[in-house]
Amino acid sequence: MVRKLLSILFLFGTYTIIAQDLHTDSNAVSVGNESDSTAGWTGLAVITSDNTEAQSGGFAIKAESTATDGRTINYTFNAVVGQDYTIRIWAKEGPQVSNNISPAFAAWTGLSGFATTQINGTDWVEYVFNVTATAVNPNIRAYTSPYPTRFVAGNSIFIDSVTIIAVGGDTEDPSAVSDLASANTTDTTTDLSWSASTDNVGVTNYEVFQDNVSIANTGTTTNFNVTGLAPGTSYDFTVFAEDASGNTSAVSNTETVNTLADSESPSAITDLSSANTTETTTDLTWSPSTDNVGVTNYEVFQDNVSIANTGTTTNFSVTELTADTSYDFTVFAEDAEGNTSLVSNTEVVNTLAGPDTEDPSAVSDLASANTTDTTTDLSWSASTDNVGVTNYEVFQDNVSIANTGTTTNFNVTGLAPGTSYDFTVFAEDASGNTSAVSNTETVNTLADSESPSAITDLSSANTTETTTDLTWSPSTDNVGVTNYEVFQDNVSIANTGTTTNFSVTGLTADTSYDFTVFAEDAEGNTSLVSNTEVVNTLAGPDTEDPIAVSDLIATGTTSVGTSLSWSPSTDNVGVTNYEIFQDNVSIANTGTTTTFNVTGLTADTSYDFTVFAEDAAGNTSAVSNTESITTLTGGGVIDYTSENANLNTIDWTVRDLFADQNVGIGTTDTQGYRLAVAGNVIAEGVKVELQGNWPDFVFLKDFDLMKLEEVRKYIKENGHLPNVPSAKTVAQDGIDLGQMDARLLQKVEELTLYLLSQEEEINKLREENTEIKNILQRLTVLENIINPVSAEN
């Protein structure tokens, strides 16, 4: 007896484990035990319970990505290896910060038969996965955004109504709905409601049928608003309950609904209008009438007699009318139940008379006023016509200059000062009939007495010893500038016509000049004098010698070399080179460097050294002081050189090693460097002391930052950044660590300036966008005030 009972309990327990929803935690996405919680769901995204976007019930879970790859939401459940499961998840996209984002279910573990599935759109969609467990703790996972955009914060998804059911486990049908009822029935709608069905696992959906045709799935919601019904019609409604395994209840009770009859009339038409009226036809149009069900026909009346039914068309072309006759047109709107609107507004149409052959009357009072040196205002009284004047054509000295339509005035421009003009006007009607010519109005323009504006930005550039380039902005004038006269020290030197620049030649070197410009028009009116541009020409050729070096000294003299140094020479332009002489024989040019290491000397020998300074023009200073040295004696002094490096008699174990010449390790070619190493170097620290500028000059106001387009062009042409050595140069010459660090820092500082500039531009565009939005909102409000009928529609 005990054994039998245990067997029954075991079987019951096994069935319960297989049939139950394995999404067991009570949280916002649970079907049977929903709560305001995210229990059981983990991940790197920000996971919250949300009560604004629920698919069913009162809550859903929202997952929002962070800026540090936080984009996942996971759920782990207990499974039996080899067991098939159906996983149902309702999901949709939430707010997105980055465009073109495709959230997805991906990277599931412990389950076979799963394929990455994108979450598309902002509408709820049920995603169903039929999978097989390959581990006892499978993991389902959703991503708020794909890999390339994983560091974008703010992308989000919503999930709800999650069920995990073992396939074949749940075979029990939900209970049938027995109290389906309707309420608030109108002519086109009704509200259905019912009590919740019960199920051993849980009801996941109700399917609503209308006359045995499915019209809706409500999820776990136990009510539905039916729309689109026909007035005065009987309908039968039923409901089926379903669970996650697809088990369906028996059909519910049948709720019969009788919609109310349609007794509401369509709205009256208020904007019936006509157009394109001829002698025998006119085109009628109107805006659609509104109705609680729908307008099915418009009936058109002509002088209270029905002439047409247009169906749902809101226009009608009337024909067979009589010329030069008045007609009254009205329209009624009807619905399918025969309800008729009130009569529309009455549109009165007067057909045209026969062909128009009558000319308009001639204008007889054409007059002018407000005449200036270049303009005049013409005006006249309206011409009369049997149908109507449609245009006035204005002639200047018998040449047509304008068509004014029905406007009886015209402003003439572009006239010449001090000139006489004859003006006439013709009137025309729609049939092309033209009046006789009007009276002739003679206009004498005033002489031009207005001076051009003064030039205020005369400037010079490219000044040499004998030339300079002058430029200025154009002057303005009521008629037009015809010439610019250039003055040098108050003496006229050129007339440039309308050209706003002039190259001055024949100047004297190292001399100051004052330049001014006057603008003139065709009448000889002259502007005020421009600003004075002072130009100082360059001095003549450089003939001044640099100052002689007076403090040449030698230090660190050994048996084979010595180190020379001296203070910089001065020059009116600048020293460009120092030339070293040894016993009156040139041995080196140091450029602007004021030190030099002499090598290859003979031990115990006397030498005389001198230095000359030079500038770019080839001017040479007087000879420097003579620095005399005597090299050390070779005997008794240990020279640590490559020749004795391997001699047992030479002690290379020393605390301090000083070398007056170059040192090579692993190589005999130091290439002129003090230390050359053929191999790797390891050190606890390396300090590079730069003699040049550290690149903080980038942040100075006068730093000339290249435009990005210029950088793009330079890279395209050279294949590397400006002021950075190319790969070929590095392979050939190597790099100077200190110099290279300075150049790289300069690029970082330039990049910072580009970023700051772009941020400023983005902020400016953002402000402009906000202003545009505010203007659009104000325009919408004004439009609604001006045209409230259109706003309501």
Side-chain angles (χ1 to χ4, degrees), residues 335-566:
D335 62 18
E337 290 295 315
N339 300 310
T340 307
S341 72
L342 296 175
V343 66
S344 71
N345 62 296
T346 299
E347 175 68 1
V348 178
V349 175
N350 295 297
T351 54
L352 300 181
D356 179 16
T357 59
E358 185 174 330
D359 293 334
S361 64
V363 172
S364 60
D365 60 350
L366 175 62
S368 60
N370 306 319
T371 302
T372 68
D373 50 356
T374 60
T375 67
T376 192
D377 293 332
L378 300 178
S379 62
W380 58 91
S381 297
S383 170
T384 59
D385 185 68
N386 63 318
V387 176
V389 173
T390 58
N391 181 53
Y392 295 96
E393 188 169 7
V394 182
F395 285 78
Q396 174 183 315
D397 293 335
N398 297 320
V399 176
S400 176
I401 60 170
N403 290 281
T404 71
T406 57
T407 302
T408 59
N409 57 73
F410 180 68
N411 173 246
V412 185
T413 61
L415 303 178
T419 305
S420 179
Y421 296 91
D422 289 336
F423 294 95
T424 52
V425 174
F426 290 84
E428 299 174 278
D429 62 20
S431 298
N433 301 309
T434 307
S435 73
V437 66
S438 71
N439 61 297
T440 299
E441 175 69 0
T442 300
V443 173
N444 295 298
T445 56
L446 303 179
D448 180 14
S449 59
E450 185 174 330
S451 298
S453 64
I455 294 162
T456 59
D457 61 349
L458 176 63
S459 62
S460 60
N462 307 318
T463 301
T464 67
E465 301 165 19
T466 59
T467 66
T468 192
D469 294 333
L470 300 177
T471 59
W472 58 91
S473 297
S475 168
T476 58
D477 186 66
N478 63 319
V479 178
V481 172
T482 58
N483 181 54
Y484 296 96
E485 189 169 5
V486 183
F487 286 77
Q488 174 184 314
D489 294 333
N490 296 320
V491 177
S492 176
I493 60 171
N495 289 283
T496 70
T498 57
T499 302
T500 58
N501 57 74
F502 180 68
S503 294
V504 185
T505 60
L507 303 177
T508 302
D510 198 20
T511 304
S512 178
Y513 295 91
D514 291 340
F515 292 96
T516 52
V517 175
F518 290 84
E520 299 174 277
D521 62 18
E523 289 296 314
N525 299 309
T526 306
S527 73
L528 296 175
V529 66
S530 71
N531 60 296
T532 299
E533 175 67 1
V534 178
V535 174
N536 295 299
T537 54
L538 301 182
D542 180 15
T543 59
E544 185 174 330
D545 295 332
I547 300 300
V549 172
S550 60
D551 60 351
L552 175 65
I553 61 171
T555 58
T557 302
T558 66
S559 60
V560 294
T562 190
S563 295
L564 302 177
S565 63
W566 57 95

Side-chain angles (χ1 to χ4, degrees), residues 119-248:
I119 300 172
N120 292 319
T122 56
D123 294 329
W124 284 106
V125 176
E126 184 180 34
Y127 295 86
V128 181
F129 305 94
N130 294 305
V131 294
T132 303
T134 60
V136 295
N137 295 115
N139 179 60
I140 61 179
R141 179 183 291 110
Y143 287 79
T144 61
S145 57
Y147 177 79
T149 56
R150 66 189 188 279
F151 296 118
V152 176
N155 297 323
S156 61
I157 58 172
F158 291 97
I159 61 173
D160 201 359
S161 302
V162 179
T163 59
I164 306 172
I165 304 296
V167 176
D170 182 12
T171 59
E172 184 175 329
D173 294 333
S175 64
V177 172
S178 59
D179 61 350
L180 175 63
S182 60
N184 306 319
T185 301
T186 68
D187 50 357
T188 60
T189 66
T190 191
D191 293 333
L192 300 178
S193 62
W194 58 92
S195 298
S197 170
T198 59
D199 186 67
N200 63 316
V201 177
V203 173
T204 58
N205 183 52
Y206 295 96
E207 188 168 9
V208 182
F209 286 77
Q210 175 184 313
D211 294 334
N212 296 321
V213 177
S214 176
I215 60 171
N217 289 281
T218 70
T220 57
T221 302
T222 58
N223 56 72
F224 181 68
N225 174 245
V226 185
T227 61
L229 303 178
T233 305
S234 179
Y235 297 92
D236 289 337
F237 295 95
T238 52
V239 175
F240 289 83
E242 299 175 278
D243 62 19
S245 296
N247 301 311
T248 307

Side-chain angles (χ1 to χ4, degrees), residues 18 126 147 153 193 261 283 359 365 380 491 504 584 622 630 643 656 680-681 759 793:
I18 295 176
E126 184 180 34
Y147 177 79
S193 62
D283 293 333
D359 293 334
D365 60 350
W380 58 91
V491 177
V504 185
N584 296 320
T630 301
E643 284 78 4
D656 296 308
N680 297 328
V681 176
E759 181 184 29
N793 292 339

Side-chain angles (χ1 to χ4, degrees), residues 638-653:
I638 298 174
D639 286 335
Y640 295 99
T641 65
S642 56
E643 284 78 4
N644 60 25
N646 297 314
L647 296 180
N648 294 331
T649 58
I650 302 301
D651 179 13
W652 278 82
T653 304

Side-chain angles (χ1 to χ4, degrees), residues 772-791:
I772 291 172
K773 287 183 179 179
N774 292 336
I775 291 172
L776 289 176
Q777 290 175 352
R778 293 198 295 270
L779 288 175
T780 300
V781 172
L782 291 174
E783 184 179 24
N784 292 340
I785 294 172
I786 294 170
N787 192 5
V789 175
S790 297

Side-chain angles (χ1 to χ4, degrees), residues 212-286:
N212 296 321
V213 177
S214 176
I215 60 171
N217 289 281
T218 70
T220 57
T221 302
T222 58
N223 56 72
F224 181 68
N225 174 245
V226 185
T227 61
L229 303 178
T233 305
S234 179
Y235 297 92
D236 289 337
F237 295 95
T238 52
V239 175
F240 289 83
E242 299 175 278
D243 62 19
S245 296
N247 301 311
T248 307
S249 73
V251 66
S252 71
N253 62 298
T254 299
E255 174 68 0
T256 299
V257 174
N258 295 297
T259 55
L260 303 179
D262 179 15
S263 58
E264 185 174 329
S265 298
S267 64
I269 294 163
T270 60
D271 62 349
L272 175 63
S273 63
S274 60
N276 306 318
T277 301
T278 67
E279 302 166 22
T280 59
T281 66
T282 193
D283 293 333
L284 301 176
T285 58
W286 59 91

